[in-house]
Protein backbone atom coordinates (compact mmCIF):
# COMPACT_ATOMS: atom_id res chain seq x y z
CA UNK A 1 0.00 0.00 0.00
CA UNK A 2 1.29 3.46 -0.95
CA UNK A 3 1.93 5.59 2.19
CA UNK A 4 2.68 8.90 0.41
CA UNK A 5 0.42 11.83 1.25
CA UNK A 6 -1.95 12.91 -1.47
CA UNK A 7 -0.90 15.91 -3.51
CA UNK A 8 -3.17 18.91 -3.09
CA UNK A 9 -5.77 19.20 -5.82
CA UNK A 10 -4.71 22.77 -6.59
CA UNK A 11 -1.55 24.73 -6.11
CA UNK A 12 -1.71 27.52 -3.55
CA UNK A 13 0.31 30.59 -4.35
CA UNK A 14 0.06 34.20 -3.34
CA UNK A 15 -1.94 36.56 -5.48
CA UNK A 16 0.22 38.58 -7.87
CA UNK A 17 0.72 42.20 -6.80
CA UNK A 18 0.23 44.98 -9.32
CA UNK A 19 1.05 48.63 -8.66
CA UNK A 20 -0.27 51.32 -11.02
CA UNK A 21 1.43 54.74 -10.95
CA UNK A 22 0.76 58.15 -12.47
CA UNK A 23 1.61 61.68 -11.35
CA UNK A 24 -1.43 62.72 -9.28
CA UNK A 25 -2.92 59.27 -8.58
CA UNK A 26 -6.34 60.76 -9.12
CA UNK A 27 -7.19 59.62 -12.64
CA UNK A 28 -5.46 57.08 -14.87
CA UNK A 29 -3.70 54.96 -12.22
CA UNK A 30 -6.88 54.89 -10.14
CA UNK A 31 -8.85 53.87 -13.23
CA UNK A 32 -6.47 51.01 -13.99
CA UNK A 33 -6.58 49.82 -10.37
CA UNK A 34 -10.38 49.93 -10.19
CA UNK A 35 -10.76 48.13 -13.52
CA UNK A 36 -8.33 45.37 -12.51
CA UNK A 37 -10.03 44.94 -9.12
CA UNK A 38 -13.38 44.72 -10.89
CA UNK A 39 -12.16 42.00 -13.25
CA UNK A 40 -9.86 40.01 -10.97
CA UNK A 41 -11.48 40.25 -7.56
CA UNK A 42 -9.22 38.74 -4.89
CA UNK A 43 -7.10 36.90 -7.48
CA UNK A 44 -4.81 39.95 -7.81
CA UNK A 45 -3.59 42.37 -5.13
CA UNK A 46 -3.97 45.83 -6.67
CA UNK A 47 -2.68 49.20 -5.52
CA UNK A 48 -1.99 52.60 -7.03
CA UNK A 49 0.11 55.63 -6.17
CA UNK A 50 1.35 58.93 -7.52
CA UNK A 51 4.72 60.62 -7.82
CA UNK A 52 3.08 63.90 -6.76
CA UNK A 53 -0.38 62.88 -5.52
CA UNK A 54 -3.21 65.36 -5.68
CA UNK A 55 -5.92 66.08 -3.13
CA UNK A 56 -8.63 63.77 -4.49
CA UNK A 57 -9.87 61.59 -7.29
CA UNK A 58 -10.84 63.07 -10.65
CA UNK A 59 -14.65 63.31 -10.66
CA UNK A 60 -14.90 62.45 -14.38
CA UNK A 61 -12.73 59.36 -13.83
CA UNK A 62 -14.96 58.20 -10.99
CA UNK A 63 -18.13 58.76 -13.04
CA UNK A 64 -16.67 56.92 -16.02
CA UNK A 65 -15.73 53.96 -13.81
CA UNK A 66 -19.14 53.94 -12.12
CA UNK A 67 -20.73 53.61 -15.56
CA UNK A 68 -19.03 50.24 -16.05
CA UNK A 69 -19.40 49.01 -12.46
CA UNK A 70 -15.80 49.59 -11.36
CA UNK A 71 -15.57 51.20 -7.93
CA UNK A 72 -13.10 53.62 -6.39
CA UNK A 73 -14.87 53.49 -3.01
CA UNK A 74 -12.42 54.10 -0.19
CA UNK A 75 -9.59 55.10 -2.53
CA UNK A 76 -7.56 58.28 -2.22
CA UNK A 77 -4.36 59.55 -3.83
CA UNK A 78 -1.25 58.03 -2.22
CA UNK A 79 2.43 58.91 -2.39
CA UNK A 80 4.56 56.38 -4.25
CA UNK A 81 7.31 54.81 -2.14
CA UNK A 82 10.22 52.58 -3.06
CA UNK A 83 8.81 49.94 -0.69
CA UNK A 84 5.57 49.87 -2.71
CA UNK A 85 7.64 49.26 -5.83
CA UNK A 86 9.73 46.50 -4.20
CA UNK A 87 6.76 44.39 -3.09
CA UNK A 88 4.93 44.61 -6.43
CA UNK A 89 5.27 41.88 -9.02
CA UNK A 90 4.36 44.39 -11.76
CA UNK A 91 4.87 48.16 -11.62
CA UNK A 92 3.00 49.92 -14.40
CA UNK A 93 3.21 53.66 -15.07
CA UNK A 94 0.35 55.26 -16.94
CA UNK A 95 1.38 58.13 -19.18
CA UNK A 96 4.71 59.71 -20.00
CA UNK A 97 4.83 62.32 -17.25
CA UNK A 98 5.57 60.31 -14.08
CA UNK A 99 9.26 59.86 -13.29
CA UNK A 100 9.95 56.94 -10.94
CA UNK A 101 13.03 56.30 -8.86
CA UNK A 102 15.40 53.55 -9.96
CA UNK A 103 14.90 50.66 -7.53
CA UNK A 104 17.24 47.66 -7.72
CA UNK A 105 15.46 44.57 -8.99
CA UNK A 106 12.29 46.42 -10.02
CA UNK A 107 11.23 46.52 -13.65
CA UNK A 108 8.86 49.30 -14.59
CA UNK A 109 6.44 49.06 -17.51
CA UNK A 110 4.94 52.16 -19.10
CA UNK A 111 1.54 52.37 -20.74
CA UNK A 112 1.17 55.40 -22.99
CA UNK A 113 -2.59 55.69 -23.08
CA UNK A 114 -4.66 57.29 -25.78
CA UNK A 115 -5.15 61.01 -25.15
CA UNK A 116 -8.39 62.12 -26.84
CA UNK A 117 -7.85 65.77 -25.83
CA UNK A 118 -5.12 65.88 -28.48
CA UNK A 119 -7.95 65.34 -30.99
CA UNK A 120 -10.20 67.98 -29.40
CA UNK A 121 -12.26 65.48 -27.36
CA UNK A 122 -12.82 66.58 -23.76
CA UNK A 123 -15.07 66.05 -20.76
CA UNK A 124 -16.86 62.80 -20.10
CA UNK A 125 -16.40 61.60 -23.69
CA UNK A 126 -12.62 61.96 -23.29
CA UNK A 127 -12.66 60.10 -19.98
CA UNK A 128 -14.71 57.22 -21.36
CA UNK A 129 -12.23 56.81 -24.23
CA UNK A 130 -9.30 56.87 -21.79
CA UNK A 131 -11.12 54.31 -19.62
CA UNK A 132 -11.73 52.01 -22.59
CA UNK A 133 -8.07 52.19 -23.63
CA UNK A 134 -6.94 51.35 -20.09
CA UNK A 135 -9.56 48.59 -19.78
CA UNK A 136 -8.23 46.83 -22.89
CA UNK A 137 -4.69 46.94 -21.45
CA UNK A 138 -5.95 45.69 -18.07
CA UNK A 139 -7.69 42.71 -19.70
CA UNK A 140 -4.42 41.80 -21.46
CA UNK A 141 -2.50 42.19 -18.18
CA UNK A 142 -4.96 39.94 -16.35
CA UNK A 143 -4.58 37.25 -19.00
CA UNK A 144 -0.79 37.44 -18.54
CA UNK A 145 -1.08 37.11 -14.77
Amino acid sequence: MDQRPEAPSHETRPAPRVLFVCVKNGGKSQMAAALLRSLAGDAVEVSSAGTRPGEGLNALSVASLDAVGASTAGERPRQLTEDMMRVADRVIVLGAEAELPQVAGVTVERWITDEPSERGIDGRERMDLVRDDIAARVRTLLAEL
Side-chain angles (χ1 to χ4, degrees), residues 13-88:
R13 57 187 170 154
R17 295 178 183 155
V18 177
L19 170 63
F20 293 106
V21 181
C22 67
V23 175
K24 292 184 180 178
N25 191 224
K28 292 176 183 177
S29 59
Q30 289 282 355
M31 291 182 96
L35 290 163
L36 184 54
R37 277 189 213 100
S38 176
L39 290 170
D42 293 339
V44 178
E45 193 175 311
V46 182
S47 59
S48 68
T51 56
R52 292 187 315 251
E55 294 297 316
L57 302 187
N58 179 298
L60 288 174
S61 295
V62 172
S64 184
L65 289 166
D66 286 346
V68 295
S71 175
T72 56
E75 295 300 319
R76 60 177 174 67
R78 293 187 175 107
Q79 178 64 51
L80 175 68
T81 66
E82 290 184 11
D83 285 341
M84 294 170 90
M85 293 175 65
R86 280 188 199 95
V87 300

Side-chain angles (χ1 to χ4, degrees), residues 60 121-128:
L60 288 174
I121 301 170
D122 289 310
R124 177 63 188 271
E125 182 182 6
R126 170 192 173 263
M127 200 57 66
D128 288 350

